[in-house]
Amino acid sequence: MTTPPNANLDHSLQINAFIPYMRHVTQCESSLRELNLMWRLIEASAKMNCPQEARALLPMMAATRQGFEKLELDLVQSMVEQSVAGVMAGLATRARHVIDTLVRNLYERTADVGFLATDEELCRFVAGLAGPDADSVRARLQAYRSKYTVYDAILLLDPQGRVLAQTDADSSITRSLNPLIARTLQSKSHVESFGVTDLRPGHGQTLTYSHRMFHPVTGEVTAVLCLVFDFEGEMLGIFQPRSVQAAAQIALLTDADGIVLASSDTHWIGLGQHLPLHQGGAFSTFLHAGRTYLVQTAASQGYQGYPGPEGWKALVMTPVEQAFSDRDALQHHTSPQVAHGLLTHARRFCPPLHAIVTAADTIRRVVWNGQVMTAGKQKDSDRLQAVLEQIGETGTRTNEVFSQSISTLYDTVIATALHDNMLLSQLLVNLLDRNLYERANDCRWWALAPQWPQLLAAASNRTETAQQVQRANRTLTHIHQLYTVYSQIFVYDASGRILACSQWGANVEESEHPLLGMQIEAQILAQVQLLPSPQAYYVTPWACCAQDLNNDGLPSYAYHAAIRSPQGQVLGGIGLVFHAQRELHAMLHGATPVHQQSLPTRVLYLNRSGRVMASTDPAHAVNSHMDLPPGLLKLACGQSWAGATEHAGQYCIMAATAGTGYREFKRSDGYREDILAVAIQSFGVVQPDASAPVLRRTLTLASSEHKQGAQEMATFFVEADLMALDAACVLEALPASTIAPVSANRLPFCVGTLARHSQGAVAGYVWVFDLCALLKARPSRITAQSQVIVIQHSGRKLGLLVGDLQGVACFAPEQIIDPPAMAGAGMLVDKLVKANQGQLLVQRLNAANLLQVLQKTVSA
């Protein structure tokens, strides 16, 4: 996962300040320092005790020590930086989720207040015209609040602030002096107010949406409608932690001046406190009440043209001593093969990790070369032998520590990607559940409009007038202009005949709209007629909707509610076709991080059968079926999963969350339609046998004691086969990346030339031959681990392209046997070595025969 540019840690970051809180870093640092000390002691011992015998070794040991010092510094710094960057990215993601979720919710409120302010019965009541009395109006407001449960209270005020009606029967307020009344009377649109208000005495700071109301006949301003939002309850729901990391964080909402408006933990950071704001993902810390916090802030990006309350920001902070615990908890979902495969793409998703892997490979090669250089010298000096034994033991320990340290850094990087993608999937299902909650509310409330029973009663006798239909069309069009998430809104009678529909965006005469006169499907009509109360609604299955005339055959949901007579008889219904493809894609695109370039995240909505409902991935079109890891489609509601896996030929970080509903929607209202959000971040193409390099490095080759007849061999890999050459004929190993493909096609098995250096200058060139092509008749796949072994025999030198290096080991005579049915002077593999107590076979190549075969191919 690439870290956002402006989330990178400043180089002045005091690394040591964070190390005490990172157990994995302290363990790694301790192991590296111990190894560094060991190499220094070996080098010092060789200089003091056997300087002449060890003169060929000293450059190798110096190179190892220097490489170690740099690697130790780079590893520790990268671990700290990646850990802090991962925590900061998680804080930034959650902060963005908090503000985005809130703004999307408040956007719906701006539409609600504008629509309810035009309600016919309410407008007649505040104008003093004949119509509903105060009790009926109060009941109507209560019916609205029972459907839109996000409101704490609803009030109707006259221009002087006197309360005409309200939903809270226990409230003693009869008149308000709040300045929002004057502001609303002068405003042509809704007014958003936040603060302590006499509209809700004793309730602290409230968020209120108000709109002026007009006289139905004269058009003059007659009243103010106030919808008091359940701000405290909504923020508690948004702040609710859904992971171990989130539980250790404090989420806050602040105004433009950094004053806390809402807090997930008021005992630690209360309302009204002032906090510094750090925007743009910049690294920042904050000292509060004796604890140091890491902090991230996010501002609203707006939604559907609505910017959100001016200056409001979300701020998420976590104590530094808790920030780095459980960062690797999600790694349990990653198989070793996938983990190894991801590591092959480290250059792409974490350049520091790739650089460290490369540096570790370089040191391994230096150690291997040192072991080769000392082969056969054990008899020269007892003191030198002790040094060589220490080099061998420390070299083995070095490989182990490198592997563990790189694995730790890798786990940190991948855990961050897993965590971020899981957060993204949680946000997506949360946004969708909240959005569809509003749709279920809309259809039930709009079904209560008083003009529908009149229209449907006339329609039952086929006596509806053109004026009635036009008026109904205008009402539906007005609604549609306020609530643009719908493709179509329509009203139908008890027989299922559509009588009126929205004309918004229509290109035909009002009376010629193609929906007018269309029949609702019989099964939908039957479901609507069975709805038990005004609180009930019906949602069609996810499928193409016949009333969606511009859907291009794509599926959607349609929300239906029954229209009833005053006695409760079902007269017909109202249908709202959700513009699913547009709205779902807007949610997916709006929630996806925009900073990702090299590793973009693709997001999808799926149903329980794995059918794609919406997608930002061209490879998964709407209505297609997506293959997913086993069990993912069976996630329990509200449960999340994240893991590294192979998908569509790529190594991917995949995360999914199953929706859990919102408030009563899909929880207690009888409706269930589970939807999953899936996030997929691709890291690179699946590599064949990607685990081989890691498995090779963890292989330990037991070495026998140096006794009469024992042979020292330099071992290496050709694909998965462990092979060996007599160490005496091996000069050195060099990285395959330095091969120059000069005239390679002129010689069989030749892949180019390679320069050898001595004291910083080119000392000569050797031809390089592909050992895999020679032995197995297929070319090698050159990777970052590929090496060239330079051998010498009878004065001739050449290079052999191999897969990876293993080590130098001494084998007793009884371990070395002839290959069955393969004995012969001309055979390339002339011996087999039974290593590790016979559990591992090593193939020894005959250098003389190898050179002879290659000489013949060159001559031919």
Side-chain angles (χ1 to χ4, degrees):
M1 188 199 71
T2 49
T3 304
N6 49 4
N8 287 332
L9 295 178
D10 192 288
H11 288 294
S12 63
L13 171 66
Q14 296 297 315
I15 299 296
N16 291 334
F18 289 97
I19 290 179
Y21 306 110
M22 302 177 182
R23 184 177 179 183
H24 63 289
V25 176
T26 58
Q27 291 174 338
C28 173
E29 184 182 38
S30 176
S31 297
L32 289 170
R33 285 182 176 175
E34 179 183 343
L35 279 174
N36 197 345
L37 178 60
M38 285 301 300
W39 282 114
R40 285 178 174 272
L41 289 174
I42 293 172
E43 183 180 7
S45 177
K47 286 180 178 179
M48 289 187 296
N49 297 322
C50 49
Q52 292 302 317
E53 299 93 328
R55 61 182 180 274
L57 292 175
L58 292 176
M60 179 276 294
M61 288 187 283
T64 303
R65 174 177 50 78
Q66 292 167 3
F68 232 108
E69 290 172 352
K70 184 177 188 307
L71 186 61
E72 178 185 353
L73 178 63
D74 291 347
L75 257 175
V76 172
Q77 180 166 330
S78 293
M79 284 182 177
V80 174
E81 290 184 350
Q82 289 297 324
S83 295
V84 177
V87 171
M88 296 300 287
L91 296 177
T93 299
R94 190 177 179 209
R96 181 169 55 84
H97 291 187
V98 168
I99 194 66
D100 286 353
T101 301
L102 178 62
V103 168
R104 282 167 169 77
N105 189 314
L106 300 186
Y107 164 76
E108 299 283 351
R109 315 290 65 90
T110 65
D112 289 350
V113 71
F115 171 73
L116 191 59
T118 63
D119 183 87
E120 182 177 326
E121 290 195 7
L122 299 184
C123 287
R124 292 185 65 82
F125 172 74
V126 297
L129 299 178
D133 57 18
D135 290 338
S136 298
V137 167
R138 186 178 301 109
R140 186 162 180 78
L141 294 179
Q142 288 285 11
Y144 185 88
R145 185 173 176 270
S146 68
K147 294 169 179 60
Y148 296 86
T149 55
V150 295
Y151 294 114
D152 182 56
I154 305 174
L155 302 94
L156 297 177
L157 311 173
D158 69 10
Q160 289 72 45
R162 289 187 291 266
V163 177
L164 302 177
Q166 61 177 316
T167 55
D168 190 351
D170 297 328
S171 175
S172 60
I173 179 176
T174 59
R175 184 172 182 176
S176 171
L177 301 177
N178 197 305
L180 74 82
I181 298 174
R183 289 171 52 213
T184 305
L185 293 172
Q186 298 299 317
S187 175
K188 295 182 180 180
S189 62
H190 73 276
V191 171
E192 194 173 56
S193 307
F194 182 80
V196 177
T197 173
D198 58 4
L199 293 172
R200 300 293 290 162
H203 283 72
Q205 296 192 109
T206 61
L207 180 60
T208 305
Y209 289 83
S210 55
H211 203 290
R212 60 185 181 179
M213 302 176 69
F214 298 94
H215 194 288
V217 178
T218 66
E220 65 178 312
V221 177
T222 56
V224 171
L225 166 69
C226 294
L227 303 181
V228 182
F229 182 61
D230 181 15
F231 178 72
E232 182 178 353
E234 177 65 11
M235 294 312 302
L236 286 176
I238 294 176
F239 288 154
Q240 184 68 34
R242 300 189 65 170
S243 66
V244 174
Q245 288 85 0
Q249 299 168 357
I250 300 176
L252 307 161
L253 184 71
T254 71
D255 64 13
D257 297 322
I259 304 301
V260 176
L261 307 178
S263 170
S264 65
D265 189 345
T266 55
H267 296 290
W268 200 254
I269 297 184
L271 305 183
Q273 292 195 37
H274 179 269
L275 298 177
L277 300 178
H278 302 272
Q279 291 183 253
F283 167 74
S284 59
T285 57
F286 170 56
L287 183 63
H288 174 75
R291 299 178 83 181
T292 300
Y293 292 84
L294 293 173
V295 184
Q296 281 286 45
T297 305
S300 169
Q301 301 300 309
Y303 180 68
Q304 301 274 11
Y306 168 67
E310 184 177 358
W312 282 20
K313 297 177 180 66
L315 185 149
V316 179
M317 52 198 291
T318 187
V320 67
E321 68 269 19
Q322 297 181 14
F324 307 104
S325 60
D326 300 321
R327 291 299 299 171
D328 302 330
L330 296 175
Q331 278 298 99
H332 298 302
H333 296 298
T334 305
S335 69
Q337 183 171 353
V338 173
H340 300 155
L342 279 167
L343 193 56
T344 63
H345 297 285
R347 182 196 294 269
R348 187 179 179 202
F349 67 85
C350 184
L353 175 59
H354 170 76
I356 289 168
V357 170
T358 302
D361 286 339
T362 300
I363 294 180
R364 287 190 186 97
R365 184 171 58 252
V366 170
V367 173
W368 192 88
N369 284 336
Q371 293 173 326
V372 167
M373 291 167 57
T374 61
K377 296 181 180 179
Q378 284 78 4
K379 299 178 183 179
D380 293 351
S381 167
D382 290 339
R383 290 174 296 180
L384 177 60
Q385 183 176 351
V387 171
L388 295 176
E389 289 175 355
Q390 287 298 315
I391 288 177
E393 293 175 5
T394 308
T396 300
R397 174 61 178 152
T398 298
N399 287 337
E400 295 174 355
V401 172
F402 282 169
S403 297
Q404 183 59 46
S405 300
I406 290 170
S407 176
T408 301
L409 176 56
Y410 161 84
D411 287 349
T412 300
V413 175
I414 297 302
T416 297
L418 289 167
H419 182 250
D420 286 352
N421 281 282
M422 190 174 72
L423 278 179
L424 178 58
S425 70
Q426 291 171 353
L427 169 66
L428 288 171
V429 291
N430 192 16
L431 291 178
L432 183 59
D433 282 338
R434 288 165 174 268
N435 192 302
L436 299 186
Y437 157 85
E438 304 288 349
R439 313 294 66 91
N441 295 344
D442 291 346
C443 70
R444 292 178 294 165
W445 173 249
W446 298 343
L448 298 181
Q451 67 189 79
W452 306 139
Q454 301 170 14
L455 174 64
L456 296 181
S460 64
N461 301 318
R462 297 284 177 168
T463 60
E464 74 270 18
T465 65
Q467 289 77 11
Q468 283 180 305
V469 171
Q470 289 174 356
R471 182 183 173 207
N473 289 343
R474 286 195 295 270
T475 298
L476 295 175
T477 301
H478 172 67
I479 294 173
H480 202 171
Q481 289 172 328
L482 288 172
Y483 297 83
T484 58
V485 298
Y486 297 109
S487 176
Q488 187 54 262
I489 307 174
F490 50 88
V491 170
Y492 49 92
D493 63 16
S495 70
R497 178 171 62 99
I498 294 179
L499 301 177
C501 64
S502 166
Q503 306 293 312
W504 188 48
N507 296 319
V508 296
E509 293 293 328
E510 182 176 325
S511 59
E512 298 175 356
H513 197 286
L515 277 186
L516 296 177
M518 181 185 290
Q519 287 291 131
I520 297 296
E521 294 90 329
Q523 65 179 38
I524 296 177
L525 184 62
Q527 291 290 338
V528 173
Q529 291 172 336
L530 291 174
L531 292 175
S533 72
Q535 281 294 102
Y537 62 94
Y538 171 70
V539 186
T540 61
W542 179 257
C544 180
C545 179
Q547 290 76 43
D548 191 355
L549 302 181
N550 299 311
N551 66 353
D552 297 323
L554 296 176
S556 183
Y557 289 125
Y559 290 75
H560 292 261
I563 297 173
R564 302 172 184 272
S565 68
Q567 294 75 34
Q569 176 187 1
V570 176
L571 302 177
I574 186 169
L576 289 61
V577 181
F578 182 51
H579 205 316
Q581 295 310 311
R582 183 186 66 195
E583 296 303 316
L584 266 59
H585 278 87
M587 288 182 224
L588 294 177
H589 284 285
T592 305
V594 296
H595 65 260
Q596 297 174 334
Q597 296 178 356
S598 61
L599 297 172
T601 297
R602 295 155 289 152
V603 286
L604 309 91
Y605 283 124
L606 308 175
N607 61 20
R608 284 290 190 188
S609 67
R611 189 179 178 189
V612 177
M613 304 172 66
S615 168
T616 63
D617 185 358
H620 297 96
V622 175
N623 264 346
S624 65
H625 186 274
M626 183 177 178
D627 293 326
L628 295 166
L632 194 144
L633 292 174
K634 296 181 181 179
L635 280 175
C637 290
Q639 184 177 355
S640 297
W641 175 93
T645 184
E646 294 180 14
H647 177 74
Q650 296 270 326
Y651 294 116
C652 297
I653 294 296
M654 183 179 292
T657 299
T660 186
Y662 173 65
R663 291 183 178 263
E664 70 280 358
F665 177 67
K666 291 188 181 181
R667 294 179 177 176
S668 60
D669 62 0
Y671 172 59
R672 289 298 301 271
E673 174 78 356
D674 295 341
I675 298 175
L676 287 80
V678 176
I680 305 173
Q681 191 173 17
S682 296
F683 282 64
V685 177
V686 171
Q687 302 291 323
D689 198 21
S691 60
V694 181
L695 296 177
R696 292 168 188 163
R697 291 169 186 165
T698 58
L699 175 65
T700 300
L701 198 59
S703 185
S704 301
E705 294 182 4
H706 295 84
K707 59 183 181 179
Q708 186 68 31
Q711 297 184 31
E712 287 186 288
M713 299 184 190
T715 60
F716 51 89
F717 288 91
V718 176
E719 292 187 334
D721 296 332
L722 184 58
M723 310 194 83
L725 283 162
D726 283 338
C729 71
V730 177
L731 298 178
E732 64 177 332
L734 297 169
S737 59
T738 58
I739 296 175
V742 179
S743 305
N745 59 351
R746 295 174 54 188
L747 301 175
F749 312 115
C750 185
V751 292
T753 61
L754 186 144
R756 299 186 64 214
H757 294 78
S758 177
Q759 297 181 349
V762 175
Y765 294 86
V766 293
W767 291 105
V768 180
F769 295 87
D770 187 345
L771 198 52
C772 183
L774 175 63
L775 299 176
K776 303 186 178 186
R778 56 176 176 266
S780 294
R781 187 175 64 88
I782 299 180
T783 67
Q785 290 76 41
S786 297
Q787 307 287 333
V788 174
I789 296 177
V790 181
I791 65 173
Q792 177 176 267
H793 185 78
S794 300
R796 289 178 294 175
K797 301 174 184 177
L798 59 83
L800 299 175
L801 175 62
V802 301
D804 202 351
L805 304 175
Q806 207 289 321
V808 176
C810 185
F811 300 109
E814 60 270 20
Q815 293 180 272
I816 305 171
I817 62 175
D818 292 327
M822 293 178 61
M827 304 305 299
L828 295 179
V829 178
D830 67 341
K831 297 292 182 181
L832 293 179
V833 180
K834 297 187 294 183
N836 293 0
Q837 299 179 339
Q839 298 182 5
L840 179 66
L841 283 179
V842 182
Q843 303 176 58
R844 191 189 77 170
L845 292 170
N846 186 299
N849 293 346
L850 182 62
L851 284 165
Q852 185 177 359
V853 169
L854 291 175
Q855 182 65 36
K856 288 181 180 179
T857 63
V858 172
S859 301

